[in-house]
PDB file of all heavy atoms in Angstrom:
ATOM      1  N   ASN A 146      31.472 -33.078 -72.542  1.00 96.00           N
ATOM      2  CA  ASN A 146      30.691 -33.809 -73.592  1.00 96.00           C
ATOM      3  C   ASN A 146      29.418 -33.036 -73.913  1.00 96.00           C
ATOM      4  O   ASN A 146      28.677 -33.426 -74.678  1.00 96.00           O
ATOM      5  CB  ASN A 146      30.289 -35.227 -73.331  1.00 96.00           C
ATOM      6  CG  ASN A 146      31.514 -36.176 -73.576  1.00 96.00           C
ATOM      7  OD1 ASN A 146      32.299 -35.883 -74.502  1.00 96.00           O
ATOM      8  ND2 ASN A 146      31.660 -37.188 -72.864  1.00 96.00           N
ATOM      9  N   ARG A 147      29.042 -31.998 -73.131  1.00 97.00           N
ATOM     10  CA  ARG A 147      28.052 -31.131 -73.207  1.00 97.00           C
ATOM     11  C   ARG A 147      26.575 -31.883 -72.956  1.00 97.00           C
ATOM     12  O   ARG A 147      25.606 -31.654 -73.703  1.00 97.00           O
ATOM     13  CB  ARG A 147      27.950 -30.491 -74.621  1.00 97.00           C
ATOM     14  CG  ARG A 147      29.099 -29.396 -74.613  1.00 97.00           C
ATOM     15  CD  ARG A 147      29.532 -29.180 -76.035  1.00 97.00           C
ATOM     16  NE  ARG A 147      30.116 -30.304 -76.679  1.00 97.00           N
ATOM     17  CZ  ARG A 147      30.657 -30.413 -77.943  1.00 97.00           C
ATOM     18  NH1 ARG A 147      30.666 -29.263 -78.607  1.00 97.00           N
ATOM     19  NH2 ARG A 147      31.148 -31.450 -78.470  1.00 97.00           N
ATOM     20  N   VAL A 148      26.672 -32.803 -72.111  1.00 96.00           N
ATOM     21  CA  VAL A 148      25.580 -33.617 -71.735  1.00 96.00           C
ATOM     22  C   VAL A 148      25.290 -33.481 -70.247  1.00 96.00           C
ATOM     23  O   VAL A 148      24.458 -34.270 -69.702  1.00 96.00           O
ATOM     24  CB  VAL A 148      25.514 -34.988 -72.211  1.00 96.00           C
ATOM     25  CG1 VAL A 148      25.464 -35.202 -73.768  1.00 96.00           C
ATOM     26  CG2 VAL A 148      26.640 -35.721 -71.639  1.00 96.00           C
ATOM     27  N   GLY A 149      25.935 -32.650 -69.545  1.00 98.00           N
ATOM     28  CA  GLY A 149      25.773 -32.428 -68.161  1.00 98.00           C
ATOM     29  C   GLY A 149      24.549 -31.732 -67.707  1.00 98.00           C
ATOM     30  O   GLY A 149      23.804 -31.176 -68.492  1.00 98.00           O
ATOM     31  N   ILE A 150      24.188 -32.083 -66.402  1.00 98.00           N
ATOM     32  CA  ILE A 150      22.998 -31.428 -65.732  1.00 98.00           C
ATOM     33  C   ILE A 150      23.510 -30.290 -64.924  1.00 98.00           C
ATOM     34  O   ILE A 150      24.413 -30.524 -64.028  1.00 98.00           O
ATOM     35  CB  ILE A 150      22.236 -32.435 -64.923  1.00 98.00           C
ATOM     36  CG1 ILE A 150      22.038 -33.806 -65.610  1.00 98.00           C
ATOM     37  CG2 ILE A 150      20.987 -31.811 -64.478  1.00 98.00           C
ATOM     38  CD1 ILE A 150      20.971 -33.861 -66.779  1.00 98.00           C
ATOM     39  N   ARG A 151      22.981 -29.094 -65.134  1.00 98.00           N
ATOM     40  CA  ARG A 151      23.354 -27.829 -64.379  1.00 98.00           C
ATOM     41  C   ARG A 151      22.361 -27.646 -63.263  1.00 98.00           C
ATOM     42  O   ARG A 151      21.053 -28.047 -63.369  1.00 98.00           O
ATOM     43  CB  ARG A 151      23.651 -26.705 -65.220  1.00 98.00           C
ATOM     44  CG  ARG A 151      24.673 -26.905 -66.193  1.00 98.00           C
ATOM     45  CD  ARG A 151      25.192 -25.735 -66.875  1.00 98.00           C
ATOM     46  NE  ARG A 151      24.235 -25.164 -67.724  1.00 98.00           N
ATOM     47  CZ  ARG A 151      24.263 -23.996 -68.392  1.00 98.00           C
ATOM     48  NH1 ARG A 151      25.396 -23.214 -68.141  1.00 98.00           N
ATOM     49  NH2 ARG A 151      23.357 -23.494 -69.177  1.00 98.00           N
ATOM     50  N   ILE A 152      22.820 -26.911 -62.272  1.00 98.00           N
ATOM     51  CA  ILE A 152      21.940 -26.534 -61.116  1.00 98.00           C
ATOM     52  C   ILE A 152      20.602 -25.932 -61.677  1.00 98.00           C
ATOM     53  O   ILE A 152      19.429 -26.168 -61.254  1.00 98.00           O
ATOM     54  CB  ILE A 152      22.680 -25.513 -60.151  1.00 98.00           C
ATOM     55  CG1 ILE A 152      23.787 -26.349 -59.353  1.00 98.00           C
ATOM     56  CG2 ILE A 152      21.655 -24.821 -59.251  1.00 98.00           C
ATOM     57  CD1 ILE A 152      23.158 -27.198 -58.245  1.00 98.00           C
ATOM     58  N   GLN A 153      20.658 -24.997 -62.672  1.00 98.00           N
ATOM     59  CA  GLN A 153      19.544 -24.279 -63.113  1.00 98.00           C
ATOM     60  C   GLN A 153      18.572 -25.224 -63.750  1.00 98.00           C
ATOM     61  O   GLN A 153      17.373 -24.841 -63.831  1.00 98.00           O
ATOM     62  CB  GLN A 153      19.938 -23.131 -64.196  1.00 98.00           C
ATOM     63  CG  GLN A 153      20.831 -23.658 -65.354  1.00 98.00           C
ATOM     64  CD  GLN A 153      21.171 -22.462 -66.184  1.00 98.00           C
ATOM     65  OE1 GLN A 153      20.289 -21.963 -66.905  1.00 98.00           O
ATOM     66  NE2 GLN A 153      22.376 -22.019 -66.128  1.00 98.00           N
ATOM     67  N   ASP A 154      19.019 -26.340 -64.287  1.00 98.00           N
ATOM     68  CA  ASP A 154      18.136 -27.332 -64.970  1.00 98.00           C
ATOM     69  C   ASP A 154      17.093 -27.833 -63.888  1.00 98.00           C
ATOM     70  O   ASP A 154      15.938 -28.368 -64.361  1.00 98.00           O
ATOM     71  CB  ASP A 154      18.927 -28.346 -65.643  1.00 98.00           C
ATOM     72  CG  ASP A 154      19.935 -27.927 -66.667  1.00 98.00           C
ATOM     73  OD1 ASP A 154      19.597 -26.925 -67.288  1.00 98.00           O
ATOM     74  OD2 ASP A 154      21.012 -28.614 -66.833  1.00 98.00           O
ATOM     75  N   ILE A 155      17.514 -27.977 -62.671  1.00 98.00           N
ATOM     76  CA  ILE A 155      16.662 -28.641 -61.741  1.00 98.00           C
ATOM     77  C   ILE A 155      15.250 -27.961 -61.407  1.00 98.00           C
ATOM     78  O   ILE A 155      14.364 -28.558 -61.115  1.00 98.00           O
ATOM     79  CB  ILE A 155      17.452 -28.711 -60.376  1.00 98.00           C
ATOM     80  CG1 ILE A 155      18.539 -29.699 -60.511  1.00 98.00           C
ATOM     81  CG2 ILE A 155      16.560 -28.960 -59.146  1.00 98.00           C
ATOM     82  CD1 ILE A 155      19.599 -29.620 -59.378  1.00 98.00           C
ATOM     83  N   PHE A 156      15.305 -26.693 -61.861  1.00 98.00           N
ATOM     84  CA  PHE A 156      14.024 -25.864 -61.470  1.00 98.00           C
ATOM     85  C   PHE A 156      12.996 -25.975 -62.693  1.00 98.00           C
ATOM     86  O   PHE A 156      11.971 -25.436 -62.462  1.00 98.00           O
ATOM     87  CB  PHE A 156      14.475 -24.472 -61.223  1.00 98.00           C
ATOM     88  CG  PHE A 156      15.381 -24.309 -60.087  1.00 98.00           C
ATOM     89  CD1 PHE A 156      16.735 -24.082 -60.246  1.00 98.00           C
ATOM     90  CD2 PHE A 156      15.027 -24.665 -58.780  1.00 98.00           C
ATOM     91  CE1 PHE A 156      17.669 -24.157 -59.214  1.00 98.00           C
ATOM     92  CE2 PHE A 156      15.911 -24.776 -57.665  1.00 98.00           C
ATOM     93  CZ  PHE A 156      17.192 -24.403 -57.936  1.00 98.00           C
ATOM     94  N   ASP A 157      13.388 -26.619 -63.644  1.00 97.00           N
ATOM     95  CA  ASP A 157      12.247 -26.718 -64.918  1.00 97.00           C
ATOM     96  C   ASP A 157      12.240 -28.160 -65.138  1.00 97.00           C
ATOM     97  O   ASP A 157      13.084 -28.807 -65.766  1.00 97.00           O
ATOM     98  CB  ASP A 157      12.879 -25.937 -66.011  1.00 97.00           C
ATOM     99  CG  ASP A 157      11.892 -26.011 -67.196  1.00 97.00           C
ATOM    100  OD1 ASP A 157      11.040 -27.129 -67.250  1.00 97.00           O
ATOM    101  OD2 ASP A 157      11.665 -25.028 -67.902  1.00 97.00           O
TER     102      ASP A 157
END
Side-chain angles (χ1 to χ4, degrees):
N146 277 328
R147 294 156 294 183
V148 295
I150 312 287
R151 295 193 293 174
I152 288 289
Q153 57 182 283
D154 301 328
I155 289 168
F156 303 105
D157 184 327

